[in-house]
PDB file of all heavy atoms in Angstrom:
ATOM      1  N   SER A 217     -11.828 -42.560  80.301  1.00 94.00           N
ATOM      2  CA  SER A 217     -10.810 -42.803  79.269  1.00 94.00           C
ATOM      3  C   SER A 217     -11.287 -42.081  78.020  1.00 94.00           C
ATOM      4  O   SER A 217     -12.269 -42.490  77.402  1.00 94.00           O
ATOM      5  CB  SER A 217     -10.630 -44.300  79.010  1.00 94.00           C
ATOM      6  OG  SER A 217     -10.104 -44.956  80.145  1.00 94.00           O
ATOM      7  N   ILE A 218     -10.608 -41.003  77.662  1.00 95.00           N
ATOM      8  CA  ILE A 218     -11.063 -40.091  76.608  1.00 95.00           C
ATOM      9  C   ILE A 218     -10.143 -40.209  75.404  1.00 95.00           C
ATOM     10  O   ILE A 218      -8.913 -40.180  75.536  1.00 95.00           O
ATOM     11  CB  ILE A 218     -11.090 -38.644  77.120  1.00 95.00           C
ATOM     12  CG1 ILE A 218     -11.956 -38.551  78.383  1.00 95.00           C
ATOM     13  CG2 ILE A 218     -11.613 -37.694  76.054  1.00 95.00           C
ATOM     14  CD1 ILE A 218     -11.843 -37.225  79.094  1.00 95.00           C
ATOM     15  N   LEU A 219     -10.741 -40.303  74.226  1.00 95.00           N
ATOM     16  CA  LEU A 219      -9.996 -40.336  72.970  1.00 95.00           C
ATOM     17  C   LEU A 219     -10.218 -39.018  72.234  1.00 95.00           C
ATOM     18  O   LEU A 219     -11.337 -38.708  71.825  1.00 95.00           O
ATOM     19  CB  LEU A 219     -10.444 -41.508  72.097  1.00 95.00           C
ATOM     20  CG  LEU A 219      -9.778 -41.609  70.711  1.00 95.00           C
ATOM     21  CD1 LEU A 219      -8.274 -41.848  70.847  1.00 95.00           C
ATOM     22  CD2 LEU A 219     -10.419 -42.717  69.879  1.00 95.00           C
ATOM     23  N   MET A 220      -9.162 -38.222  72.096  1.00 96.00           N
ATOM     24  CA  MET A 220      -9.198 -36.975  71.327  1.00 96.00           C
ATOM     25  C   MET A 220      -8.864 -37.289  69.869  1.00 96.00           C
ATOM     26  O   MET A 220      -7.829 -37.907  69.589  1.00 96.00           O
ATOM     27  CB  MET A 220      -8.188 -35.963  71.879  1.00 96.00           C
ATOM     28  CG  MET A 220      -8.381 -35.602  73.340  1.00 96.00           C
ATOM     29  SD  MET A 220      -9.746 -34.450  73.550  1.00 96.00           S
ATOM     30  CE  MET A 220      -9.612 -34.129  75.319  1.00 96.00           C
ATOM     31  N   VAL A 221      -9.714 -36.849  68.936  1.00 94.00           N
ATOM     32  CA  VAL A 221      -9.515 -37.156  67.518  1.00 94.00           C
ATOM     33  C   VAL A 221      -9.541 -35.864  66.709  1.00 94.00           C
ATOM     34  O   VAL A 221     -10.490 -35.074  66.831  1.00 94.00           O
ATOM     35  CB  VAL A 221     -10.589 -38.122  66.990  1.00 94.00           C
ATOM     36  CG1 VAL A 221     -10.285 -38.505  65.546  1.00 94.00           C
ATOM     37  CG2 VAL A 221     -10.676 -39.366  67.868  1.00 94.00           C
ATOM     38  N   SER A 222      -8.514 -35.650  65.912  1.00 93.00           N
ATOM     39  CA  SER A 222      -8.480 -34.502  65.006  1.00 93.00           C
ATOM     40  C   SER A 222      -7.319 -34.676  64.039  1.00 93.00           C
ATOM     41  O   SER A 222      -6.327 -35.341  64.349  1.00 93.00           O
ATOM     42  CB  SER A 222      -8.323 -33.195  65.784  1.00 93.00           C
ATOM     43  OG  SER A 222      -8.288 -32.089  64.901  1.00 93.00           O
ATOM     44  N   ASP A 223      -7.452 -34.064  62.863  1.00 91.00           N
ATOM     45  CA  ASP A 223      -6.341 -34.036  61.917  1.00 91.00           C
ATOM     46  C   ASP A 223      -5.252 -33.063  62.350  1.00 91.00           C
ATOM     47  O   ASP A 223      -4.144 -33.094  61.805  1.00 91.00           O
ATOM     48  CB  ASP A 223      -6.846 -33.625  60.522  1.00 91.00           C
ATOM     49  CG  ASP A 223      -7.460 -34.780  59.757  1.00 91.00           C
ATOM     50  OD1 ASP A 223      -6.854 -35.854  59.762  1.00 91.00           O
ATOM     51  OD2 ASP A 223      -8.541 -34.608  59.175  1.00 91.00           O
ATOM     52  N   PHE A 224      -5.566 -32.200  63.304  1.00 91.00           N
ATOM     53  CA  PHE A 224      -4.654 -31.116  63.675  1.00 91.00           C
ATOM     54  C   PHE A 224      -4.102 -31.363  65.082  1.00 91.00           C
ATOM     55  O   PHE A 224      -4.814 -31.254  66.075  1.00 91.00           O
ATOM     56  CB  PHE A 224      -5.390 -29.773  63.617  1.00 91.00           C
ATOM     57  CG  PHE A 224      -6.121 -29.569  62.327  1.00 91.00           C
ATOM     58  CD1 PHE A 224      -7.501 -29.718  62.279  1.00 91.00           C
ATOM     59  CD2 PHE A 224      -5.446 -29.252  61.166  1.00 91.00           C
ATOM     60  CE1 PHE A 224      -8.185 -29.547  61.093  1.00 91.00           C
ATOM     61  CE2 PHE A 224      -6.122 -29.080  59.973  1.00 91.00           C
ATOM     62  CZ  PHE A 224      -7.491 -29.230  59.929  1.00 91.00           C
ATOM     63  N   PHE A 225      -2.806 -31.696  65.135  1.00 92.00           N
ATOM     64  CA  PHE A 225      -2.135 -31.913  66.416  1.00 92.00           C
ATOM     65  C   PHE A 225      -0.642 -31.749  66.217  1.00 92.00           C
ATOM     66  O   PHE A 225      -0.146 -31.671  65.080  1.00 92.00           O
ATOM     67  CB  PHE A 225      -2.482 -33.305  66.973  1.00 92.00           C
ATOM     68  CG  PHE A 225      -2.095 -33.492  68.417  1.00 92.00           C
ATOM     69  CD1 PHE A 225      -2.722 -32.755  69.400  1.00 92.00           C
ATOM     70  CD2 PHE A 225      -1.086 -34.382  68.775  1.00 92.00           C
ATOM     71  CE1 PHE A 225      -2.356 -32.906  70.740  1.00 92.00           C
ATOM     72  CE2 PHE A 225      -0.717 -34.526  70.096  1.00 92.00           C
ATOM     73  CZ  PHE A 225      -1.358 -33.790  71.085  1.00 92.00           C
ATOM     74  N   TYR A 226       0.079 -31.680  67.346  1.00 89.00           N
ATOM     75  CA  TYR A 226       1.534 -31.540  67.273  1.00 89.00           C
ATOM     76  C   TYR A 226       2.137 -32.693  66.472  1.00 89.00           C
ATOM     77  O   TYR A 226       1.611 -33.793  66.493  1.00 89.00           O
ATOM     78  CB  TYR A 226       2.130 -31.546  68.686  1.00 89.00           C
ATOM     79  CG  TYR A 226       1.745 -30.333  69.522  1.00 89.00           C
ATOM     80  CD1 TYR A 226       1.794 -30.389  70.908  1.00 89.00           C
ATOM     81  CD2 TYR A 226       1.330 -29.152  68.935  1.00 89.00           C
ATOM     82  CE1 TYR A 226       1.448 -29.289  71.695  1.00 89.00           C
ATOM     83  CE2 TYR A 226       0.981 -28.058  69.700  1.00 89.00           C
ATOM     84  CZ  TYR A 226       1.036 -28.133  71.070  1.00 89.00           C
ATOM     85  OH  TYR A 226       0.699 -27.046  71.826  1.00 89.00           O
ATOM     86  N   PRO A 227       3.237 -32.446  65.712  1.00 88.00           N
ATOM     87  CA  PRO A 227       4.102 -31.274  65.692  1.00 88.00           C
ATOM     88  C   PRO A 227       3.586 -30.097  64.866  1.00 88.00           C
ATOM     89  O   PRO A 227       4.286 -29.094  64.748  1.00 88.00           O
ATOM     90  CB  PRO A 227       5.403 -31.811  65.094  1.00 88.00           C
ATOM     91  CG  PRO A 227       4.959 -32.908  64.188  1.00 88.00           C
ATOM     92  CD  PRO A 227       3.780 -33.541  64.873  1.00 88.00           C
ATOM     93  N   ASN A 228       2.414 -30.221  64.241  1.00 85.00           N
ATOM     94  CA  ASN A 228       1.835 -29.059  63.581  1.00 85.00           C
ATOM     95  C   ASN A 228       1.471 -28.012  64.631  1.00 85.00           C
ATOM     96  O   ASN A 228       1.133 -28.354  65.770  1.00 85.00           O
ATOM     97  CB  ASN A 228       0.589 -29.471  62.801  1.00 85.00           C
ATOM     98  CG  ASN A 228       0.089 -28.371  61.899  1.00 85.00           C
ATOM     99  OD1 ASN A 228       0.850 -27.836  61.111  1.00 85.00           O
ATOM    100  ND2 ASN A 228      -1.180 -28.042  62.014  1.00 85.00           N
ATOM    101  N   PHE A 229       1.556 -26.745  64.274  1.00 82.00           N
ATOM    102  CA  PHE A 229       1.328 -25.681  65.241  1.00 82.00           C
ATOM    103  C   PHE A 229       0.096 -24.883  64.870  1.00 82.00           C
ATOM    104  O   PHE A 229      -0.105 -24.533  63.702  1.00 82.00           O
ATOM    105  CB  PHE A 229       2.537 -24.743  65.320  1.00 82.00           C
ATOM    106  CG  PHE A 229       2.312 -23.554  66.219  1.00 82.00           C
ATOM    107  CD1 PHE A 229       2.284 -23.702  67.590  1.00 82.00           C
ATOM    108  CD2 PHE A 229       2.088 -22.300  65.687  1.00 82.00           C
ATOM    109  CE1 PHE A 229       2.064 -22.620  68.417  1.00 82.00           C
ATOM    110  CE2 PHE A 229       1.863 -21.220  66.501  1.00 82.00           C
ATOM    111  CZ  PHE A 229       1.853 -21.369  67.875  1.00 82.00           C
ATOM    112  N   GLY A 230      -0.757 -24.593  65.848  1.00 83.00           N
ATOM    113  CA  GLY A 230      -1.950 -23.783  65.636  1.00 83.00           C
ATOM    114  C   GLY A 230      -2.814 -23.766  66.882  1.00 83.00           C
ATOM    115  O   GLY A 230      -2.527 -24.437  67.888  1.00 83.00           O
ATOM    116  N   GLY A 231      -3.903 -23.000  66.823  1.00 84.00           N
ATOM    117  CA  GLY A 231      -4.777 -22.865  67.974  1.00 84.00           C
ATOM    118  C   GLY A 231      -5.463 -24.162  68.357  1.00 84.00           C
ATOM    119  O   GLY A 231      -5.577 -24.492  69.551  1.00 84.00           O
ATOM    120  N   VAL A 232      -5.935 -24.929  67.352  1.00 89.00           N
ATOM    121  CA  VAL A 232      -6.615 -26.189  67.645  1.00 89.00           C
ATOM    122  C   VAL A 232      -5.640 -27.193  68.250  1.00 89.00           C
ATOM    123  O   VAL A 232      -5.953 -27.893  69.224  1.00 89.00           O
ATOM    124  CB  VAL A 232      -7.253 -26.760  66.365  1.00 89.00           C
ATOM    125  CG1 VAL A 232      -7.930 -28.092  66.645  1.00 89.00           C
ATOM    126  CG2 VAL A 232      -8.264 -25.772  65.796  1.00 89.00           C
ATOM    127  N   GLU A 233      -4.432 -27.257  67.685  1.00 89.00           N
ATOM    128  CA  GLU A 233      -3.424 -28.191  68.187  1.00 89.00           C
ATOM    129  C   GLU A 233      -3.084 -27.891  69.656  1.00 89.00           C
ATOM    130  O   GLU A 233      -3.021 -28.796  70.495  1.00 89.00           O
ATOM    131  CB  GLU A 233      -2.155 -28.092  67.333  1.00 89.00           C
ATOM    132  CG  GLU A 233      -2.322 -28.575  65.905  1.00 89.00           C
ATOM    133  CD  GLU A 233      -2.846 -27.517  64.974  1.00 89.00           C
ATOM    134  OE1 GLU A 233      -3.403 -26.510  65.446  1.00 89.00           O
ATOM    135  OE2 GLU A 233      -2.728 -27.692  63.753  1.00 89.00           O
ATOM    136  N   ASN A 234      -2.873 -26.611  69.947  1.00 88.00           N
ATOM    137  CA  ASN A 234      -2.534 -26.241  71.322  1.00 88.00           C
ATOM    138  C   ASN A 234      -3.718 -26.483  72.266  1.00 88.00           C
ATOM    139  O   ASN A 234      -3.529 -26.889  73.421  1.00 88.00           O
ATOM    140  CB  ASN A 234      -2.116 -24.774  71.363  1.00 88.00           C
ATOM    141  CG  ASN A 234      -1.655 -24.341  72.739  1.00 88.00           C
ATOM    142  OD1 ASN A 234      -0.698 -24.867  73.272  1.00 88.00           O
ATOM    143  ND2 ASN A 234      -2.364 -23.374  73.310  1.00 88.00           N
ATOM    144  N   HIS A 235      -4.946 -26.246  71.783  1.00 90.00           N
ATOM    145  CA  HIS A 235      -6.142 -26.475  72.603  1.00 90.00           C
ATOM    146  C   HIS A 235      -6.247 -27.955  73.001  1.00 90.00           C
ATOM    147  O   HIS A 235      -6.497 -28.275  74.165  1.00 90.00           O
ATOM    148  CB  HIS A 235      -7.380 -26.048  71.823  1.00 90.00           C
ATOM    149  CG  HIS A 235      -8.670 -26.352  72.513  1.00 90.00           C
ATOM    150  ND1 HIS A 235      -9.320 -25.447  73.314  1.00 90.00           N
ATOM    151  CD2 HIS A 235      -9.439 -27.473  72.518  1.00 90.00           C
ATOM    152  CE1 HIS A 235     -10.422 -25.989  73.802  1.00 90.00           C
ATOM    153  NE2 HIS A 235     -10.527 -27.230  73.313  1.00 90.00           N
ATOM    154  N   ILE A 236      -6.063 -28.846  72.043  1.00 92.00           N
ATOM    155  CA  ILE A 236      -6.171 -30.277  72.332  1.00 92.00           C
ATOM    156  C   ILE A 236      -5.096 -30.701  73.334  1.00 92.00           C
ATOM    157  O   ILE A 236      -5.364 -31.445  74.288  1.00 92.00           O
ATOM    158  CB  ILE A 236      -6.066 -31.099  71.032  1.00 92.00           C
ATOM    159  CG1 ILE A 236      -7.246 -30.768  70.093  1.00 92.00           C
ATOM    160  CG2 ILE A 236      -6.032 -32.594  71.320  1.00 92.00           C
ATOM    161  CD1 ILE A 236      -7.132 -31.428  68.736  1.00 92.00           C
ATOM    162  N   TYR A 237      -3.868 -30.201  73.131  1.00 92.00           N
ATOM    163  CA  TYR A 237      -2.771 -30.591  74.028  1.00 92.00           C
ATOM    164  C   TYR A 237      -3.020 -30.084  75.451  1.00 92.00           C
ATOM    165  O   TYR A 237      -2.884 -30.841  76.425  1.00 92.00           O
ATOM    166  CB  TYR A 237      -1.450 -30.041  73.486  1.00 92.00           C
ATOM    167  CG  TYR A 237      -0.278 -30.282  74.406  1.00 92.00           C
ATOM    168  CD1 TYR A 237       0.346 -31.530  74.455  1.00 92.00           C
ATOM    169  CD2 TYR A 237       0.195 -29.270  75.233  1.00 92.00           C
ATOM    170  CE1 TYR A 237       1.412 -31.748  75.311  1.00 92.00           C
ATOM    171  CE2 TYR A 237       1.258 -29.484  76.080  1.00 92.00           C
ATOM    172  CZ  TYR A 237       1.866 -30.720  76.121  1.00 92.00           C
ATOM    173  OH  TYR A 237       2.925 -30.939  76.966  1.00 92.00           O
ATOM    174  N   GLN A 238      -3.375 -28.804  75.577  1.00 89.00           N
ATOM    175  CA  GLN A 238      -3.579 -28.237  76.916  1.00 89.00           C
ATOM    176  C   GLN A 238      -4.772 -28.887  77.613  1.00 89.00           C
ATOM    177  O   GLN A 238      -4.718 -29.178  78.822  1.00 89.00           O
ATOM    178  CB  GLN A 238      -3.786 -26.712  76.808  1.00 89.00           C
ATOM    179  CG  GLN A 238      -2.590 -25.947  76.256  1.00 89.00           C
ATOM    180  CD  GLN A 238      -1.402 -25.962  77.196  1.00 89.00           C
ATOM    181  OE1 GLN A 238      -1.528 -26.309  78.377  1.00 89.00           O
ATOM    182  NE2 GLN A 238      -0.240 -25.588  76.686  1.00 89.00           N
ATOM    183  N   LEU A 239      -5.858 -29.123  76.882  1.00 92.00           N
ATOM    184  CA  LEU A 239      -7.026 -29.780  77.468  1.00 92.00           C
ATOM    185  C   LEU A 239      -6.670 -31.192  77.930  1.00 92.00           C
ATOM    186  O   LEU A 239      -7.090 -31.635  79.018  1.00 92.00           O
ATOM    187  CB  LEU A 239      -8.166 -29.818  76.450  1.00 92.00           C
ATOM    188  CG  LEU A 239      -9.442 -30.556  76.872  1.00 92.00           C
ATOM    189  CD1 LEU A 239     -10.053 -29.919  78.118  1.00 92.00           C
ATOM    190  CD2 LEU A 239     -10.452 -30.566  75.721  1.00 92.00           C
ATOM    191  N   SER A 240      -5.887 -31.904  77.129  1.00 94.00           N
ATOM    192  CA  SER A 240      -5.477 -33.257  77.508  1.00 94.00           C
ATOM    193  C   SER A 240      -4.639 -33.243  78.780  1.00 94.00           C
ATOM    194  O   SER A 240      -4.824 -34.084  79.680  1.00 94.00           O
ATOM    195  CB  SER A 240      -4.692 -33.904  76.365  1.00 94.00           C
ATOM    196  OG  SER A 240      -5.473 -33.982  75.185  1.00 94.00           O
ATOM    197  N   GLN A 241      -3.731 -32.279  78.888  1.00 92.00           N
ATOM    198  CA  GLN A 241      -2.888 -32.203  80.079  1.00 92.00           C
ATOM    199  C   GLN A 241      -3.727 -31.903  81.330  1.00 92.00           C
ATOM    200  O   GLN A 241      -3.496 -32.471  82.407  1.00 92.00           O
ATOM    201  CB  GLN A 241      -1.811 -31.128  79.899  1.00 92.00           C
ATOM    202  CG  GLN A 241      -0.779 -31.454  78.834  1.00 92.00           C
ATOM    203  CD  GLN A 241       0.018 -32.704  79.169  1.00 92.00           C
ATOM    204  OE1 GLN A 241       0.343 -32.959  80.323  1.00 92.00           O
ATOM    205  NE2 GLN A 241       0.338 -33.482  78.142  1.00 92.00           N
ATOM    206  N   CYS A 242      -4.710 -31.015  81.193  1.00 91.00           N
ATOM    207  CA  CYS A 242      -5.566 -30.686  82.339  1.00 91.00           C
ATOM    208  C   CYS A 242      -6.398 -31.898  82.772  1.00 91.00           C
ATOM    209  O   CYS A 242      -6.573 -32.156  83.973  1.00 91.00           O
ATOM    210  CB  CYS A 242      -6.477 -29.512  81.984  1.00 91.00           C
ATOM    211  SG  CYS A 242      -5.604 -27.945  81.771  1.00 91.00           S
ATOM    212  N   LEU A 243      -6.915 -32.647  81.795  1.00 93.00           N
ATOM    213  CA  LEU A 243      -7.700 -33.842  82.134  1.00 93.00           C
ATOM    214  C   LEU A 243      -6.828 -34.910  82.797  1.00 93.00           C
ATOM    215  O   LEU A 243      -7.268 -35.604  83.720  1.00 93.00           O
ATOM    216  CB  LEU A 243      -8.359 -34.394  80.869  1.00 93.00           C
ATOM    217  CG  LEU A 243      -9.486 -33.541  80.270  1.00 93.00           C
ATOM    218  CD1 LEU A 243      -9.911 -34.083  78.916  1.00 93.00           C
ATOM    219  CD2 LEU A 243     -10.678 -33.488  81.219  1.00 93.00           C
ATOM    220  N   ILE A 244      -5.583 -35.040  82.337  1.00 93.00           N
ATOM    221  CA  ILE A 244      -4.662 -35.999  82.961  1.00 93.00           C
ATOM    222  C   ILE A 244      -4.370 -35.587  84.402  1.00 93.00           C
ATOM    223  O   ILE A 244      -4.327 -36.426  85.311  1.00 93.00           O
ATOM    224  CB  ILE A 244      -3.363 -36.104  82.139  1.00 93.00           C
ATOM    225  CG1 ILE A 244      -3.651 -36.778  80.794  1.00 93.00           C
ATOM    226  CG2 ILE A 244      -2.298 -36.879  82.903  1.00 93.00           C
ATOM    227  CD1 ILE A 244      -2.459 -36.808  79.856  1.00 93.00           C
ATOM    228  N   ASN A 245      -4.190 -34.267  84.618  1.00 92.00           N
ATOM    229  CA  ASN A 245      -3.943 -33.784  85.982  1.00 92.00           C
ATOM    230  C   ASN A 245      -5.136 -34.037  86.900  1.00 92.00           C
ATOM    231  O   ASN A 245      -4.974 -34.138  88.122  1.00 92.00           O
ATOM    232  CB  ASN A 245      -3.622 -32.291  85.956  1.00 92.00           C
ATOM    233  CG  ASN A 245      -2.268 -32.009  85.335  1.00 92.00           C
ATOM    234  OD1 ASN A 245      -1.386 -32.872  85.301  1.00 92.00           O
ATOM    235  ND2 ASN A 245      -2.093 -30.810  84.808  1.00 92.00           N
ATOM    236  N   GLN A 246      -6.330 -34.145  86.326  1.00 91.00           N
ATOM    237  CA  GLN A 246      -7.530 -34.413  87.116  1.00 91.00           C
ATOM    238  C   GLN A 246      -7.753 -35.907  87.334  1.00 91.00           C
ATOM    239  O   GLN A 246      -8.749 -36.307  87.943  1.00 91.00           O
ATOM    240  CB  GLN A 246      -8.752 -33.808  86.429  1.00 91.00           C
ATOM    241  CG  GLN A 246      -8.683 -32.304  86.263  1.00 91.00           C
ATOM    242  CD  GLN A 246      -9.884 -31.599  86.850  1.00 91.00           C
ATOM    243  OE1 GLN A 246     -10.872 -32.218  87.195  1.00 91.00           O
ATOM    244  NE2 GLN A 246      -9.782 -30.296  86.967  1.00 91.00           N
ATOM    245  N   GLY A 247      -6.849 -36.741  86.806  1.00 92.00           N
ATOM    246  CA  GLY A 247      -6.940 -38.173  87.053  1.00 92.00           C
ATOM    247  C   GLY A 247      -7.557 -38.978  85.934  1.00 92.00           C
ATOM    248  O   GLY A 247      -7.736 -40.193  86.072  1.00 92.00           O
ATOM    249  N   HIS A 248      -7.896 -38.347  84.818  1.00 94.00           N
ATOM    250  CA  HIS A 248      -8.476 -39.068  83.693  1.00 94.00           C
ATOM    251  C   HIS A 248      -7.379 -39.587  82.758  1.00 94.00           C
ATOM    252  O   HIS A 248      -6.252 -39.080  82.751  1.00 94.00           O
ATOM    253  CB  HIS A 248      -9.432 -38.161  82.907  1.00 94.00           C
ATOM    254  CG  HIS A 248     -10.557 -37.614  83.728  1.00 94.00           C
ATOM    255  ND1 HIS A 248     -11.581 -38.394  84.214  1.00 94.00           N
ATOM    256  CD2 HIS A 248     -10.807 -36.348  84.174  1.00 94.00           C
ATOM    257  CE1 HIS A 248     -12.424 -37.647  84.897  1.00 94.00           C
ATOM    258  NE2 HIS A 248     -11.972 -36.396  84.894  1.00 94.00           N
ATOM    259  N   LYS A 249      -7.741 -40.569  81.968  1.00 94.00           N
ATOM    260  CA  LYS A 249      -6.828 -41.097  80.951  1.00 94.00           C
ATOM    261  C   LYS A 249      -7.185 -40.455  79.612  1.00 94.00           C
ATOM    262  O   LYS A 249      -8.351 -40.426  79.218  1.00 94.00           O
ATOM    263  CB  LYS A 249      -6.948 -42.615  80.861  1.00 94.00           C
ATOM    264  CG  LYS A 249      -6.085 -43.239  79.759  1.00 94.00           C
ATOM    265  CD  LYS A 249      -6.301 -44.739  79.683  1.00 94.00           C
ATOM    266  CE  LYS A 249      -5.476 -45.349  78.553  1.00 94.00           C
ATOM    267  NZ  LYS A 249      -5.672 -46.823  78.456  1.00 94.00           N
ATOM    268  N   VAL A 250      -6.178 -39.943  78.903  1.00 96.00           N
ATOM    269  CA  VAL A 250      -6.402 -39.272  77.622  1.00 96.00           C
ATOM    270  C   VAL A 250      -5.485 -39.873  76.571  1.00 96.00           C
ATOM    271  O   VAL A 250      -4.282 -40.057  76.806  1.00 96.00           O
ATOM    272  CB  VAL A 250      -6.163 -37.751  77.729  1.00 96.00           C
ATOM    273  CG1 VAL A 250      -6.443 -37.079  76.381  1.00 96.00           C
ATOM    274  CG2 VAL A 250      -7.043 -37.138  78.807  1.00 96.00           C
ATOM    275  N   VAL A 251      -6.073 -40.201  75.421  1.00 96.00           N
ATOM    276  CA  VAL A 251      -5.332 -40.702  74.262  1.00 96.00           C
ATOM    277  C   VAL A 251      -5.708 -39.831  73.071  1.00 96.00           C
ATOM    278  O   VAL A 251      -6.867 -39.425  72.925  1.00 96.00           O
ATOM    279  CB  VAL A 251      -5.670 -42.182  73.978  1.00 96.00           C
ATOM    280  CG1 VAL A 251      -4.903 -42.688  72.763  1.00 96.00           C
ATOM    281  CG2 VAL A 251      -5.379 -43.040  75.197  1.00 96.00           C
ATOM    282  N   VAL A 252      -4.746 -39.519  72.217  1.00 95.00           N
ATOM    283  CA  VAL A 252      -4.967 -38.675  71.030  1.00 95.00           C
ATOM    284  C   VAL A 252      -4.789 -39.510  69.780  1.00 95.00           C
ATOM    285  O   VAL A 252      -3.838 -40.313  69.692  1.00 95.00           O
ATOM    286  CB  VAL A 252      -4.006 -37.471  71.008  1.00 95.00           C
ATOM    287  CG1 VAL A 252      -4.222 -36.641  69.743  1.00 95.00           C
ATOM    288  CG2 VAL A 252      -4.203 -36.608  72.255  1.00 95.00           C
ATOM    289  N   MET A 253      -5.692 -39.350  68.811  1.00 94.00           N
ATOM    290  CA  MET A 253      -5.570 -40.010  67.504  1.00 94.00           C
ATOM    291  C   MET A 253      -5.535 -38.944  66.420  1.00 94.00           C
ATOM    292  O   MET A 253      -6.437 -38.114  66.316  1.00 94.00           O
ATOM    293  CB  MET A 253      -6.749 -40.955  67.260  1.00 94.00           C
ATOM    294  CG  MET A 253      -6.583 -41.803  65.985  1.00 94.00           C
ATOM    295  SD  MET A 253      -7.922 -43.007  65.747  1.00 94.00           S
ATOM    296  CE  MET A 253      -9.190 -41.964  65.024  1.00 94.00           C
ATOM    297  N   THR A 254      -4.475 -38.946  65.621  1.00 93.00           N
ATOM    298  CA  THR A 254      -4.317 -37.999  64.532  1.00 93.00           C
ATOM    299  C   THR A 254      -3.587 -38.703  63.403  1.00 93.00           C
ATOM    300  O   THR A 254      -3.345 -39.917  63.464  1.00 93.00           O
ATOM    301  CB  THR A 254      -3.550 -36.748  65.000  1.00 93.00           C
ATOM    302  OG1 THR A 254      -3.504 -35.782  63.939  1.00 93.00           O
ATOM    303  CG2 THR A 254      -2.136 -37.100  65.420  1.00 93.00           C
ATOM    304  N   HIS A 255      -3.255 -37.969  62.342  1.00 91.00           N
ATOM    305  CA  HIS A 255      -2.521 -38.598  61.234  1.00 91.00           C
ATOM    306  C   HIS A 255      -1.023 -38.334  61.375  1.00 91.00           C
ATOM    307  O   HIS A 255      -0.601 -37.445  62.126  1.00 91.00           O
ATOM    308  CB  HIS A 255      -3.038 -38.093  59.881  1.00 91.00           C
ATOM    309  CG  HIS A 255      -2.717 -36.646  59.604  1.00 91.00           C
ATOM    310  ND1 HIS A 255      -1.485 -36.225  59.187  1.00 91.00           N
ATOM    311  CD2 HIS A 255      -3.487 -35.541  59.692  1.00 91.00           C
ATOM    312  CE1 HIS A 255      -1.489 -34.918  59.014  1.00 91.00           C
ATOM    313  NE2 HIS A 255      -2.693 -34.473  59.329  1.00 91.00           N
ATOM    314  N   ALA A 256      -0.230 -39.108  60.672  1.00 91.00           N
ATOM    315  CA  ALA A 256       1.221 -38.995  60.764  1.00 91.00           C
ATOM    316  C   ALA A 256       1.701 -37.695  60.130  1.00 91.00           C
ATOM    317  O   ALA A 256       1.118 -37.204  59.155  1.00 91.00           O
ATOM    318  CB  ALA A 256       1.892 -40.188  60.085  1.00 91.00           C
TER     319      ALA A 256
END
Side-chain angles (χ1 to χ4, degrees):
S217 295
I218 305 170
L219 177 63
M220 302 283 185
V221 185
S222 180
D223 279 315
F224 310 104
F225 193 66
Y226 293 158
N228 190 53
F229 175 73
V232 178
E233 293 86 342
N234 184 61
H235 175 94
I236 297 174
Y237 175 79
Q238 297 292 345
L239 176 60
S240 300
Q241 293 297 323
C242 292
L243 290 171
I244 291 174
N245 290 337
Q246 299 235 348
H248 301 291
K249 177 183 178 180
V250 182
V251 180
V252 178
M253 187 176 81
T254 185
H255 69 78

